[in-house]
Amino acid sequence: MAELQLKQSELFKKVVPEGLKILAPLARQETYAPGSIIFSQNTMAEKLFLLDHGVVALKTSLAGGLEITYEMITKKGDPFGWSALVEPFQLTATAICLEKSQVIAFQQKELDRIFQQHPDLGFLVMKNLCVLIARRLQRTRQLLAGQV
């Protein structure tokens, strides 16, 4: 079951079935009520998340107390909390559930261990992560340009 869920995520796109079998045992289901904060901006990223179902808003606080929602996680397999994969492992947003949400969570330390043992797998996931971050950065720029 977990392998199929992982395959649906852009983060694990093109990962061969053997790689998914390595990652699947690390996946843990977590459920959050509406209004729950999954993680907070400027804290240490201990987990990477994939949405199973629900809606999660990613918000960031800016200077002067301004807070913006810059991303809505709505699609099955959408990753968030990717700071768990990138030093300095500090979260750049707050994730808030807008409705009851179920996620698949991976501990940062476990992923790091697997990626050190299987660098080809780690390289592919990080390559997918770069594409994802670039796409989100572009959307965030468009959002900010529209508010100027």
Side-chain angles (χ1 to χ4, degrees), residues 79-133:
F80 59 104
W82 55 261
S83 297
L85 298 178
V86 182
E87 287 187 50
F89 309 113
Q90 186 170 359
L91 291 157
T92 59
T94 296
I96 302 173
C97 295
L98 300 185
E99 60 185 51
K100 183 178 178 182
S101 300
Q102 189 164 358
V103 300
I104 299 167
F106 295 88
Q107 289 290 330
Q108 182 271 333
K109 290 179 182 179
E110 292 177 347
L111 283 174
D112 186 53
R113 179 180 52 81
I114 291 297
F115 293 161
Q116 287 187 32
Q117 292 172 352
H118 303 276
D120 53 330
L121 178 58
F123 175 76
L124 183 55
V125 171
M126 295 305 280
K127 187 174 170 183
N128 291 339
L129 177 62
C130 288
V131 171
L132 219 152
I133 291 171

Side-chain angles (χ1 to χ4, degrees), residues 25-120:
L26 305 180
R28 303 286 182 263
Q29 294 275 341
E30 296 181 2
T31 303
Y32 294 90
S36 295
I37 295 175
I38 298 175
F39 56 76
S40 298
Q41 182 176 339
N42 296 325
T43 61
M44 295 304 293
E46 297 176 357
K47 296 179 184 177
L48 167 72
F49 299 91
L50 303 179
L51 184 69
D52 186 24
H53 65 269
V55 177
V56 177
L58 297 181
K59 300 180 178 220
T60 190
S61 297
L62 304 173
L66 180 65
E67 181 179 85
I68 62 166
T69 298
Y70 68 90
E71 189 79 26
M72 297 294 284
I73 306 298
T74 59
K75 184 178 155 197
K76 187 177 188 83
D78 275 353
F80 59 104
W82 55 261
S83 297
L85 298 178
V86 182
E87 287 187 50
F89 309 113
Q90 186 170 359
L91 291 157
T92 59
T94 296
I96 302 173
C97 295
L98 300 185
E99 60 185 51
K100 183 178 178 182
S101 300
Q102 189 164 358
V103 300
I104 299 167
F106 295 88
Q107 289 290 330
Q108 182 271 333
K109 290 179 182 179
E110 292 177 347
L111 283 174
D112 186 53
R113 179 180 52 81
I114 291 297
F115 293 161
Q116 287 187 32
Q117 292 172 352
H118 303 276
D120 53 330

